Amino acid sequence: MKSNVIIMVAMAKNRVIGLNNQMPWNIPEELAKFKEITLNNNIIMGMNTYKSIGKLLPNRNNYIFSHDKDLKIPNATIINGFGEMMFHLLEKSQENFYVIGGRTLFDLYLPLAGKMIISEIDKEFEGDTYFPQVDLSNWKLVNEIEIPNTQNIKIIQKHYEKVYFQS
């Protein structure tokens, strides 16, 4: 069975994805591509990612991981553990779930993901949070899209699919 989990991340040349719980860059054209892909889908984020965005992302089902069992965020589904999220993934197996950060969730969901969408920003940024190393031998590059932007930074969005071996 193919996975409905998709890792979605923008990362700098030095694998940076965050600095002080914020994205260390502001590239509206990359964010527009993110919005275009995730609109009307399910997104999974950690509490720090939610706090850094500062709001729920509109026109998406927002799933937020938190250790706080009493946390209530109107119009969001609060997830307290991996098993609880697995229930939602199985219950909605025909729908895509985009894991959008942070690092802890990328570590948790990379082994389960069936696809990855990585926007590679061809510039190094200072940061304190990095995207994990991924062994790409288990992944097939299926699409590359250049994202033109007003800052003239080369951004290539790479779409990968997991290679499943049949026995």
Side-chain angles (χ1 to χ4, degrees), residues 5-137:
V5 174
I6 302 167
I7 300 292
M8 186 153 192
V9 68
M11 76 173 175
K13 198 178 202 172
N14 53 345
R15 306 190 74 74
V16 163
I17 59 173
L19 174 66
N20 300 322
N21 204 36
Q22 297 294 318
M23 281 197 319
W25 52 80
N26 180 11
I27 306 171
E29 298 86 351
E30 197 282 325
L31 287 172
K33 200 77 179 142
F34 167 86
K35 180 179 180 180
E36 176 189 319
I37 291 170
T38 61
L39 214 54
N40 301 315
N41 279 292
N42 303 294
I43 56 173
I44 304 172
M45 68 182 105
M47 194 64 201
N48 286 339
T49 300
Y50 168 69
K51 286 178 181 173
S52 77
I53 296 169
K55 63 178 185 176
L56 297 177
L57 293 178
N59 302 311
R60 282 157 272 208
N61 295 323
N62 289 259
Y63 291 82
I64 302 170
F65 266 77
S66 174
H67 298 294
D68 180 353
K69 297 197 183 312
D70 299 322
L71 181 66
K72 303 272 187 275
I73 299 173
N75 303 314
T77 303
I78 307 303
I79 302 296
N80 297 124
F82 188 69
E84 187 181 336
M85 191 66 231
M86 291 306 295
F87 171 78
H88 291 281
L89 292 171
L90 292 169
E91 183 182 55
K92 297 182 173 185
S93 63
Q94 301 306 309
E95 298 178 24
N96 288 327
F97 284 80
Y98 291 86
V99 177
I100 64 167
R103 168 66 194 244
T104 303
L105 289 189
F106 290 141
D107 285 337
L108 198 58
Y109 281 97
L110 264 165
L112 290 179
K115 295 180 182 177
M116 288 190 299
I117 301 171
I118 301 175
S119 292
E120 295 182 354
I121 300 168
D122 192 23
K123 185 175 175 180
E124 292 197 358
F125 286 87
E126 185 184 334
D128 55 19
T129 309
Y130 298 84
F131 190 68
Q133 289 286 345
V134 177
D135 177 2
L136 291 177
S137 65

